[in-house]
Structures are given as C-alpha cells and as structure tokens.
Amino acid sequence: MLNEFKEIYKYREMIYSMVRKDLRGRYKGSVLGFLWTFINPLLQLLVYNMVFSIILRNDIEKFYLFLFVALIPWMFFSASITGGSVSIISQKDLIKKIYFPREIIPISYVTSCFVNMLLSFIVVIIVVFASGVRPTVAGMILLPTIMIIEYLLALGIAMITSAVTVYFRDLEHILGIISMAWMYATPICYPESLCPEKYRFLFHLNPMTSIVEAYRAVLYYGTVPDMSTLLESVVLGLVFLTAGCIVFGNLKKRFAEEL
Amino acid sequence: MAENENINSEYAIRVKNVTKQFKVYYDKGSSLKERMIFRGRNRYENRTVLDGISLDIRKGDAVGLVGHNGCGKSTLLKLMTRILYPDSGEIEVQGRVSSLIELGAGFHPDMSGRENIYTNASIFGLSKKEIDSRLDDIIAFSELGEFIDNPVRTYSSGMYMRLAFSVAINVDADVLLIDEILAVGDANFQSKCFAKLQEIKANGTTIVIVSHSLKQIEQICNRSIWIHGGKIRSDGVPNDVHMDYLDYMSEVRKTNALLSSMTEEQKAAYDKEKKLRWGNGDATIETVKVTDKQGKEGNLFEVGAEIHFRVGYKVNKPIDDAVFGIGIFRPDGLNVYGTNTRIDGFKRFDLKEDGYFDIVLPKYSLLPSKYIVGFSIEYGEGIPVDYWKTACEIETFTNISDIGTIRLDHDWGFSDGEIKK
C-alpha cells in the first residue's frame, strides 16, 4: 500500500496534466467557454429556485441559498461517482499500451470535478455574502476541511465504480438511478427535520448527509458545524477510501485484458 | 516496486517461472442482460501464452526477443512493464522503466508540441522539474524547431512520431522496453534513433527489444532470446540464435508448401495448430464419409443432389449431454448454413463409447463452388469438445446457369396464362 502511495506521488505530474487537459477540454468549442463553469451552477440554482419557491412553496427562509450551498457540493459528488465510473473505460488506449499507476485515472477525474467545484464556490461565496449571511471565521476555516472530506469520500466511491464498471458495464447506467435516489435520500432540497424521527438513524448512515449538513452550517446558518457530525463524516470518508483502494487494487491487474 | 531493495543486485529484470493465460471468449457478453440471457454463451477457452518462462537479464544488457507472431514475446514485454500481470510466477524489474510500446500516449491534438511533451512525459512518471531539465534535449532531438509551439494536429505523421520518440527516449530510464517501433521517421531520423539507442546502452541502461527485424537486434543487442509456444527455445549470442530461428522459419515455409500432400493425420494436427480445430478433446472426430444417394463415396455433386455424411467419433472420456453440429462454409469464409441437434430439438445424447452420427441433406441446392464442411461435438452447455471447421470439402456443379448462392425453388406465371417454354 505504502509503495503505491509513493508511486502515485511520483506520478503527480501526470495527475496535474490530466486534470488540466480535462478542464481545458470540457467546454472546448463553446462560445462562452470556461464561463460555463460559473453559469452552469447559477442556471441550476435558478431552475430549482423557481420550482421550490413558486410551485412547491415552503417556508424556509432564503430557500435559494439553503439549496445552493448543498447543491454545488452534491453536483461534485454525483459527477465524481457517475462520470468516474467510465473514467477507466474511456482511457482504455492508455491502459492497454502503457504502464502507470492505474489509480491516477480516477484520482485525476475526481480532482478535476473537485477543481470545478472550487471554481463554482467563487459563485457560492458571492451569493452567500450577497444574501446577507455572514459566515463565522471558524466556519470558513473549517470549510476546506469539509471539502477535503467530501473529496476523499467521492474518490473512494469513484475508485470502486470505475474499477467495477470495467468488468460490469451496466453499472454505468445503474449509477444514474442510484445517484438520483441518493440525492433525494440526502437533505439537499429539504431540511433534515422533515425526515421522520424513526428513520433518522438511516439518514446518518448516508455519508453525504453529514457533509451537506456541515456545508449548510457554515454557509447558510453562519455557524460552526457540529463536531460530532464532522467526525462522523471523516470516519465514513476514510472507510470508503480504504474500501476503494482495496477493491481497485484487486481489480486493476486485469484491466488491460478486460478492456 | 522493488526499487530500493537489492539495489546492488546484478540483475535488472528477473522473470521467475511466469505463466500467463488469456481467456479467449467465443462470444462475450459483458452487460447484465447478455449475461443472464446467454449464460451458455459465456464460454471461453484458456490460451496459454507464456508457459512457465524464467529468465534473468543483467544490468546493462541489451536483449532482443524474437519469435513468430503470437509466440508470446510481446506479452512478455507487457508483463515486464506491468501492463499485464502474470497468472503465476514473479517478475522483478529494478529501477525506472520506460516502455516504447505505444508512442505518443496521451497526446492531445489541440495542444502544442511543447505542452504535449509535458503530458506525455508525465505519463512516464517524470516530475515537472525533470521535464523542464530535459525539454531542450527533447525539442532538439525531435528536429521540430519552431513547429514545437504549433498544435500537434497540424503535424505530419513523421513529425508526430519524431516528437513522441524524442520524449520516450529522453526519459533516462534504467530499463528501456521497446516493441517494434524502430521504424520511425525517415532514414536520417532512424539512424539518429539508432545512434541514441547505442548511446543509452553505453550509459548502462538495460534494453529489451521485441522486433521482427533480426538485423536491428544484431546491431544493438548482445543477447537474443527466441520464444516459441510460450517457452524459451533458444538463448544466446544473437547471430547463433537467429541462425536457428531462420532455419526453423524456412522449415515452416516448406511445410506450408507441403500442406497439400499431407496425410489426414498430419492435416488434423495442422488444423489444430491453425485454430481451425479446437475443443477439450474428451471426444474426437475421426472419420468423415461423404456419399451420394446410392452410397457411393465422392466429393463432387450436382446442385440439388442428396448428400449423406457419416461422422465417426472416438470417445476418450464419457460425455453427458452431447450436441452434434454441422457448419457449411464457402472458401471466402461465408457461413452458408449451420445447425445442431439441440437446435433441431433432439434430446440429449450421452456418449460412452465410439460411434458415429449421420446427417442427410436431401437437397443440396448451393450453387457451384467448393464448400468446406465442418462438424462439431460439444457439451449441452456449450463447451466445445471437438470443433473441426474444415473436416471435409465438397464441390457442386450444374449445367443450369442461374446465379447467386443457392438455388431456390421457383415458378413463373404470365398474364396471358400461356406456357411459353
């Protein structure tokens, strides 16, 4: 395991160049180009806000913000696991022809989604301040920690989905549905309090619940996230990452043959 | 990676009793639906590509791997680079490995040559600093000059390969693995690559080359290994090994010429080698008798004639639930017809002792040509016992000059109702 980490570190330049290639290629040929990174989340916000403030009315204060600070992290997570699932397959020419630590591919993919989220957060922070919420200093210091925890979780799951999809291509399509269901099982469009008390414990088995709650604590309520919730997500994040490394490590040996 | 262990060992590459098999699927389904519905189709055969191979390569050696197509030499090279992993046995490679198996890996057409150097070199595990320090060498070697800042899509294929080769050769690896790629660029650039390889070798880099060009290997290598059927057939000074290899190859060519005069037995063995016949051998098809309606043996039939086949088999191991099949092919490869006893709704056959099966084609309407008729025995679940694609040949003739593949029964009708024939 340690040797693998060392080797991945040695190949860090490859991660960097793959992320750069991915980000540059993402909006290639479009008129607005890289601006889409900012426009996309804003438009999504607009749609959800219209649905939930005009049609499905509710009495949550500043609902647009309530939704926005949870939706952007969710979009990163969901893109990582669904898009990540085909990341190995889409690089099959590279895998069949050349050696490099296979972990580089899911790492690069998730990292590029992560960088995208960081850029979207420029918009998020602007919206947060424009809405009048004043996050605490402690909260803002904790924000990068929350992001890193989410990154580790997303990476762990993406390593599993990317490796399993090589052997079982249906997973790509199944994940579309799983990701949708997962979104509604996470308090993104609604507060956690809406969930009946007796199912609450199930909610907290979902690693994304505590992460979303943490984002919301900092950026919506302007408080510091509950430390026990945060700790819970750290543990879950590490569990998934370890599982991801083990599954990936076992499956990667036959990639070149299966592709 | 065993990079820091046994750094003083005299060997750069140690291959210990390595075996590698590939699953060859006849018809693979990898989605859930295909797996559920065609469970029987997920049959495969294990093909042993490397069969318990062991070899040690000293540091600073330049070794050539030779052998005919499919002998396993490229697989061995891929195992050394860790693209593939062995089924059993061990491979140790010490130091940084650079493989010139695929040139220009990860090149992005819209990025400039310079940017692509970074991308490509990063795939070899170089850090930004290392690439920076090699950048000038790489650009100089590629002879691209000012074109280096143009997008790679504007390059000619020669320029593309030159750039790719320059990156790979400048990695400064401890072990350089090369697969059949020394045919890069024009003659001038080729000789430059050659000189560079000599230089790299002189600097103590271990080199392993897979090539069909024995001359190239003789020029660079001090050792040559001939791999045959997944095993080492000969190992030593390139000139000696290549003599043996060339002797063998000319033998093979002679055999090919002699093929027509082979006995049935030899032909069966040859077909197996050539993958026209496969199966696990629990039973084997021994004889095929082709007769006409009257029971007279022959291979020439008029279109529409009745043809009888009697296929004799030998049972080496009792078989439960066997299925017999027939397939008819035209020499151009068209599968004209095929069926088996399962398709035709027969109950299971259990084969306990030698026997035969008959197939009668009451009306063989295929138009004049040669036809290759194959027979098969397989297990009900689809595992081939003996698939013999070229068991016998028949030929058809006719004096009617209709055209196409098959004569269809037909009638004409006319508006005036008169028969004009």
Side-chain angles (χ1 to χ4, degrees):
Chain A
M1 202 74 137
L2 189 65
N3 277 330
E4 272 157 11
F5 283 128
K6 262 198 224 158
E7 215 191 351
I8 292 167
Y9 179 72
K10 228 182 82 190
Y11 275 80
R12 61 194 179 279
E13 180 64 22
M14 183 177 174
I15 300 179
Y16 172 75
S17 84
M18 284 189 73
V19 170
R20 193 183 53 172
K21 203 161 82 172
D22 187 54
L23 289 175
R24 283 182 60 171
R26 190 167 289 199
Y27 300 109
K28 194 184 140 263
S30 61
V31 179
L32 293 174
F34 209 70
L35 273 180
W36 275 112
T37 310
F38 305 110
I39 299 171
N40 228 339
L42 279 175
L43 290 179
Q44 290 234 6
L45 175 67
L46 195 70
V47 172
Y48 277 98
N49 197 41
M50 285 207 322
V51 172
F52 286 99
S53 327
I54 299 172
I55 304 164
L56 291 169
R57 263 182 300 268
N58 59 66
D59 28 276
I60 295 170
E61 202 189 333
K62 288 177 190 158
F63 186 77
Y64 67 94
L65 188 67
F66 178 85
L67 181 65
F68 198 37
V69 299
L71 190 62
I72 297 295
W74 172 262
M75 279 163 60
F76 155 63
F77 181 74
S78 143
S80 298
I81 60 170
T82 54
S85 71
V86 285
S87 60
I88 299 278
I89 293 172
S90 61
Q91 297 288 354
K92 68 173 171 197
D93 289 333
L94 224 48
I95 286 183
K96 279 160 84 171
K97 297 290 174 55
I98 204 158
Y99 174 79
F100 54 86
R102 304 317 192 193
E103 289 84 357
I104 298 283
I105 288 179
I107 291 175
S108 306
Y109 187 83
V110 174
T111 307
S112 113
C113 293
F114 186 67
V115 171
N116 219 38
M117 175 178 86
L118 291 182
L119 292 170
S120 306
F121 255 83
I122 297 174
V123 181
V124 173
I125 298 291
I126 292 172
V127 172
V128 166
F129 277 89
S131 72
V133 173
R134 294 287 171 268
T136 59
V137 176
M140 288 307 273
I141 292 171
L142 275 174
L143 191 60
T145 319
I146 305 170
M147 288 174 167
I148 290 168
I149 296 167
E150 191 191 1
Y151 174 81
L152 295 180
L153 177 71
L155 179 60
I157 298 176
M159 284 177 85
I160 299 174
T161 59
S162 63
V164 173
T165 307
V166 172
Y167 298 86
F168 180 59
R169 307 275 162 113
D170 291 45
L171 189 61
E172 180 197 347
H173 309 291
I174 296 170
L175 277 172
I177 292 298
I178 290 182
S179 151
M180 190 187 78
W182 200 335
M183 175 168 165
Y184 288 107
T186 310
I188 292 168
C189 307
Y190 55 88
E192 200 199 344
S193 55
L194 269 188
C195 170
E197 195 69 50
K198 56 178 174 180
Y199 298 120
R200 205 61 72 77
F201 75 100
L202 274 176
F203 241 63
H204 275 268
L205 285 181
N206 171 4
M208 276 308 281
T209 300
S210 42
I211 287 172
V212 164
E213 291 287 303
Y215 276 110
R216 209 168 258 160
V218 175
L219 298 169
Y220 178 73
Y221 295 109
T223 56
V224 177
D226 178 26
M227 280 304 152
S228 67
T229 319
L230 206 56
L231 194 67
E232 191 183 309
S233 56
V234 172
V235 172
L236 283 171
L238 290 177
V239 166
F240 273 98
L241 189 62
T242 314
C245 289
I246 294 170
V247 170
F248 197 92
N250 282 318
L251 294 180
K252 69 176 178 184
K253 298 192 172 178
R254 296 186 71 87
F255 280 173
E257 287 159 66
E258 289 289 332
L259 285 169
Chain B
M1 285 241 300
E3 208 168 342
N4 297 318
E5 303 152 23
N6 315 318
I7 202 84
N8 296 320
S9 157
E10 56 179 320
Y11 296 109
I13 302 172
R14 306 200 71 169
V15 177
K16 287 180 207 149
N17 202 18
V18 162
T19 298
K20 182 73 195 168
Q21 292 189 326
F22 287 124
K23 282 181 184 167
V24 184
Y25 287 90
Y26 296 135
D27 183 6
K28 191 188 174 189
S30 63
S31 80
L32 183 63
K33 186 192 86 188
E34 287 171 309
R35 282 199 183 170
M36 303 273 274
I37 298 178
F38 305 122
R39 230 176 302 174
R41 275 207 202 161
N42 243 333
R43 55 189 121 122
Y44 58 82
E45 186 181 21
N46 274 327
R47 187 179 299 162
T48 305
V49 181
L50 292 175
D51 189 4
I53 238 174
S54 296
L55 61 98
D56 294 322
I57 295 174
R58 277 171 207 281
K59 281 186 177 157
D61 265 8
V63 178
L65 301 178
V66 299
H68 62 82
N69 288 330
C71 71
K73 57 189 190 307
S74 289
T75 303
L76 184 58
L77 205 70
K78 281 186 175 163
L79 286 165
M80 288 175 180
T81 68
R82 289 184 297 161
I83 292 173
L84 299 174
Y85 289 79
D87 291 328
S88 68
E90 249 180 85
I91 294 187
E92 276 173 36
V93 180
Q94 289 195 14
R96 170 181 269 154
V97 180
S98 172
S99 57
L100 279 67
I101 291 178
E102 171 78 351
L103 287 177
F107 268 22
H108 194 295
D110 286 328
M111 290 193 184
S112 73
R114 192 186 296 273
E115 288 171 306
N116 271 308
I117 291 177
Y118 280 92
T119 312
N120 189 219
S122 73
I123 295 174
F124 288 109
L126 263 60
S127 68
K128 175 132 192 336
K129 218 193 277 172
E130 288 171 307
I131 303 172
D132 283 337
S133 69
R134 288 167 175 77
L135 193 62
D136 291 336
D137 286 343
I138 295 174
I139 296 174
F141 193 84
S142 70
E143 299 173 2
L144 282 170
E146 66 213 54
F147 290 109
I148 197 70
D149 289 312
N150 292 359
V152 164
R153 72 182 133 80
T154 63
Y155 287 14
S156 70
S157 61
M159 288 159 78
Y160 184 95
M161 292 311 275
R162 255 155 44 202
L163 180 63
F165 191 85
S166 305
V167 178
I169 206 92
N170 278 297
V171 169
D172 287 347
D174 301 305
V175 177
L176 188 60
L177 307 171
I178 306 176
D179 191 353
E180 211 63 76
I181 49 146
L182 287 172
V184 178
D186 52 24
N188 189 25
F189 191 74
Q190 267 188 40
S191 61
K192 192 170 154 184
C193 291
F194 238 76
K196 180 76 184 178
L197 272 184
Q198 301 278 16
E199 187 193 314
I200 288 172
K201 186 186 156 197
N203 288 339
T205 302
T206 311
I207 301 176
V208 181
I209 301 178
V210 165
S211 181
H212 281 117
S213 163
L214 301 179
K215 213 181 96 204
Q216 278 179 353
I217 290 179
E218 281 159 25
Q219 280 172 331
I220 299 173
C221 300
N222 54 355
R223 179 179 170 194
S224 189
I225 298 172
W226 170 18
I227 296 174
H228 183 79
K231 291 193 160 96
I232 294 175
R233 174 106 166 219
S234 172
D235 179 357
V237 183
N239 272 325
D240 299 347
V241 173
H242 295 174
M243 291 280 237
D244 290 348
Y245 178 59
L246 287 173
D247 268 357
Y248 168 79
M249 287 307 273
S250 64
E251 256 333 285
V252 169
R253 227 163 289 150
K254 260 186 249 160
T255 333
N256 281 349
L258 283 172
L259 197 67
S260 45
S261 58
M262 272 186 180
T263 67
E264 283 302 311
E265 217 166 62
Q266 283 169 320
K267 208 163 185 170
Y270 181 79
D271 282 349
K272 197 155 192 169
E273 174 90 350
K274 282 287 185 193
K275 293 295 163 207
L276 293 172
R277 188 170 186 178
W278 64 89
N280 63 13
D282 288 352
T284 45
I285 293 166
E286 295 291 319
T287 56
V288 177
K289 203 167 119 189
V290 190
T291 54
D292 65 9
K293 212 171 172 176
Q294 280 78 35
K296 214 176 92 205
E297 268 192 72
N299 289 47
L300 190 62
F301 298 93
E302 189 163 1
V303 174
E306 183 171 314
I307 306 182
H308 295 242
F309 296 97
R310 175 160 290 187
V311 181
Y313 55 82
K314 198 173 111 195
V315 177
N316 302 319
K317 208 179 115 191
I319 296 172
D320 297 334
D321 192 12
V323 173
F324 301 120
I326 180 172
I328 300 170
F329 301 86
R330 228 166 42 186
D332 61 5
L334 176 75
N335 185 355
V336 184
Y337 186 70
T339 189
N340 64 31
T341 51
R342 187 178 33 186
I343 293 169
D344 287 343
F346 284 93
K347 292 259 158 50
R348 49 189 279 165
F349 298 97
D350 293 334
L351 309 187
K352 293 194 177 58
E353 52 193 83
D354 301 358
Y356 65 86
F357 60 91
D358 283 336
I359 304 167
V360 180
L361 305 175
K363 198 170 170 195
Y364 193 86
S365 308
L366 294 169
L367 290 181
S369 167
K370 219 177 233 180
Y371 292 96
I372 299 147
V373 185
F375 295 100
S376 68
I377 304 174
E378 59 179 28
Y379 279 107
E381 60 267 37
I383 299 164
V385 174
D386 191 7
Y387 250 93
W388 193 1
K389 231 179 133 177
T390 54
C392 69
E393 266 180 25
I394 54 174
E395 204 174 334
T396 51
F397 69 92
T398 181
N399 47 20
I400 304 170
S401 44
D402 46 358
I403 58 165
T405 312
I406 187 165
R407 177 171 300 157
L408 297 176
D409 289 337
H410 57 277
D411 290 306
W412 297 92
F414 305 96
S415 54
D416 55 8
E418 249 182 80
I419 310 271
K420 296 174 180 176
K421 207 162 160 183

